[in-house]
Amino acid sequence: MEVPRERWVGRDAGPVVRPYAMTRGRTGSGDAKLDLITILVATGRESNDFIRLSREQRRLLELCGRPTTVADLASEVDLPLRVVQVLLGDLLQQDRIEEVPQALLTERPDPRILMRVLDDLRRL
């Protein structure tokens, strides 16, 4: 009986890298507690250590150019949430990104606009 070979190339997706390979087998994000609504932003600081960022980490860092939630980041890079949390934990430890305290987020939607959207949704 021949053992089937594992496929590392998807017909439509191209080369496939397993999530544990991206995180080097890690499942935790260090000391960081990153939930879905944690808002992150790039610090603009370069790491003093010679640390190479993966393509996924470079993309996450680029997306953090403006305050973004972990959920939005995971959706944008199309990776499992846990993988994104581990990669973001690395960026946090390197001081390349930081969490935005909720108290600093003063930009709130106008209640009149929210009511108008709610009224329009009810009409549907």
Side-chain angles (χ1 to χ4, degrees):
M1 179 177 186
E2 188 176 325
V3 177
R5 294 183 128 195
E6 209 168 351
R7 289 190 58 173
W8 283 83
V9 178
R11 190 175 14 171
D12 297 326
V16 177
V17 176
R18 302 233 168 156
Y20 66 81
M22 284 185 224
T23 62
R24 296 184 301 271
R26 296 170 297 137
T27 58
S29 55
D31 295 335
K33 303 289 186 245
L34 301 172
D35 58 18
L36 290 172
I37 60 170
T38 300
I39 299 174
L40 301 167
V41 66
T43 61
R45 291 184 219 126
E46 292 293 324
S47 176
N48 294 335
D49 302 326
F50 180 72
I51 300 172
R52 290 189 179 182
L53 297 178
S54 67
R55 180 178 34 156
E56 292 80 17
Q57 285 174 316
R58 286 192 306 271
R59 178 72 177 131
L60 288 168
L61 190 57
E62 176 187 315
L63 292 169
C64 285
R66 62 179 180 80
T68 310
T69 65
V70 173
D72 289 336
L73 292 168
S75 173
E76 187 69 32
V77 296
D78 197 27
L79 290 172
L81 174 64
R82 200 71 200 132
V83 171
V84 171
Q85 288 172 319
V86 171
L87 297 175
L88 289 171
D90 292 344
L91 293 173
L92 277 167
Q93 288 178 345
Q94 297 169 19
D95 289 327
R96 293 186 180 221
I97 61 173
E98 64 187 359
E99 185 175 345
V100 177
Q102 292 291 331
L104 293 179
L105 300 173
T106 58
E107 199 174 309
R108 297 184 185 259
D110 184 348
R112 294 173 296 187
I113 293 174
L114 293 176
M115 288 305 294
R116 185 172 172 193
V117 168
L118 183 60
D119 291 340
D120 290 345
L121 286 172
R122 286 183 179 147
R123 276 190 283 238
L124 291 175

